[in-house]
C-alpha cells in the first residue's frame, strides 16, 4: 500500500501527485517548477483562480498535461529551526492532501519542505510516514496506493529506513 520510488514525480501514472507549493500557488522552483512545466500553462491558469493557500493547507486542481489526473498543491513550512510549529504544519500538509485525495485510488508525494524550504529530511520523513499510516488505517477513503517519490538516492535511503519494520 505504501511504496517508495526514486524519480521524477511528474512522470508518475497515479490519480494525484502532490506539489510542494508556496502560498501563492502560482509556481516556483524545484518540484513546483517541474510540475508546472510538465502540466502546461493550463495549470497556472487554474491555480490563478484559487486565491493562494496558507502554510499547512492544500488545494486540488486537475493535472492537465500530466499523466496524473489531479495535482494537490500543499504549502509546506519553511524550516526556521523547529520551534515555529514546523512539525505540525508539515503534518497538516500530509493530512490535507490525503483528505483531498480520499475519493481517489493512488497518490504520490514528494518530500515536501525538504528542498529549498530546508526541513531536515529524516524528521520530515518520519512525519510523512506517520501521517500516511494513520490516515490509511483510519479508513473513510478509497486509497489503495500511496507513493513516496524521492528525487535523490540519499532521500530514498531515508524513506526506506524510516519505513523498515522496527
Ligand atoms: P520545498 O520548497 O517544499 O522545499 P522543493 O521543490 O525545493 O520544495 O523540494 C522538495 C523535494 O522535491 C526535494 O526533495 C527535491 O529534491 C524534490 N524534487 C525536485 N524536483 C522533483 C521532481 N521532479 N520529482 C520529485 N521530486 C522532486
Amino acid at each position: 500500500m505504501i511504496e517508495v520510488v526514486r524519480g521524477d514525480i511528474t512522470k508518475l501514472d497515479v490519480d494525484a501527485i502532490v506539489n510542494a507549493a508556496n502560498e501563492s500557488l502560482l509556481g516556483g522552483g524545484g518540484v513546483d517548477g517541474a510540475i508546472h512545466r510538465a502540466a502546461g500553462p493550463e495549470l497556472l491558469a487554474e491555480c490563478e483562480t484559487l486565491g493562494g493557500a496558507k502554510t499547512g493547507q492544500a488545494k486540488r486542481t486537475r493535472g492537465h498535461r500530466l499523466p496524473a489526473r489531479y495535482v494537490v498543491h500543499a504549502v509546506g513550512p519553511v524550516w526556521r529551526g523547529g520551534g515555529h510549529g514546523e512539525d505540525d504544519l508539515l503534518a497538516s500538509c500530509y493530512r490535507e492532501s490525503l483528505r483531498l485525495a480520499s475519493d481517489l485510488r493512488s497518490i504520490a508525494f514528494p518530500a515536501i519542505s525538504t528542498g529549498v524550504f530546508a526541513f531536515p529530511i529524516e524528521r520530515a520523513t518520519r512525519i510523512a510516514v506517520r501521517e500516511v499510516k494513520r490516515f490509511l488505517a483510519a479508513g473513510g477513503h478509497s486509497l489503495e496506493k500511496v507513493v513516496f517519490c524521492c528525487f535523490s538516492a540519499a532521500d530514498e535511503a531515508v524513506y526506506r529506513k524510516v519505513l523498515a519494520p522496527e
Side-chain angles (χ1 to χ4, degrees):
M1 205 164 192
I2 297 178
E3 288 177 20
V4 179
V5 303
R6 182 174 163 207
D8 179 354
I9 201 168
T10 68
K11 306 277 196 258
L12 296 185
D13 187 7
V14 286
D15 291 334
I17 62 171
V18 178
N19 183 14
N22 57 56
E23 289 189 341
S24 78
L25 300 183
L26 299 179
V31 71
D32 197 358
I35 288 171
H36 276 272
R37 279 193 298 279
E42 299 87 353
L43 179 61
L44 181 59
E46 187 177 358
C47 285
E48 282 170 347
T49 69
L50 299 177
K54 295 204 173 92
T55 300
Q57 290 186 331
K59 292 189 178 178
R60 176 167 136 176
T61 66
R62 302 200 67 84
H64 300 283
R65 301 181 196 180
L66 291 165
R69 279 196 290 148
Y70 299 99
V71 179
V72 174
H73 304 265
V75 184
V78 176
W79 180 256
R80 293 164 60 206
H84 296 83
E86 293 95 327
D87 290 347
D88 290 344
L89 290 165
L90 186 64
S92 169
C93 280
Y94 282 92
R95 283 196 299 271
E96 285 225 358
S97 298
L98 291 159
R99 186 175 55 77
L100 290 171
S102 59
D103 59 326
L104 307 177
R105 296 230 290 255
S106 56
I107 184 170
F109 285 95
I112 299 170
S113 283
T114 69
V116 171
F117 284 2
F119 204 115
I121 181 68
E122 184 162 339
R123 186 162 169 156
T125 302
R126 289 190 188 284
I127 291 166
V129 167
R130 181 191 74 209
E131 293 302 329
V132 166
K133 284 186 172 173
R134 267 190 199 157
F135 187 89
L136 292 177
H141 60 80
S142 54
L143 286 167
E144 294 168 358
K145 186 167 81 168
V146 177
V147 178
F148 290 118
C149 180
C150 306
F151 208 49
S152 71
D155 289 353
E156 182 186 6
V158 173
Y159 274 86
R160 292 201 185 281
K161 185 181 87 172
V162 169
L163 279 163
E166 79 201 287

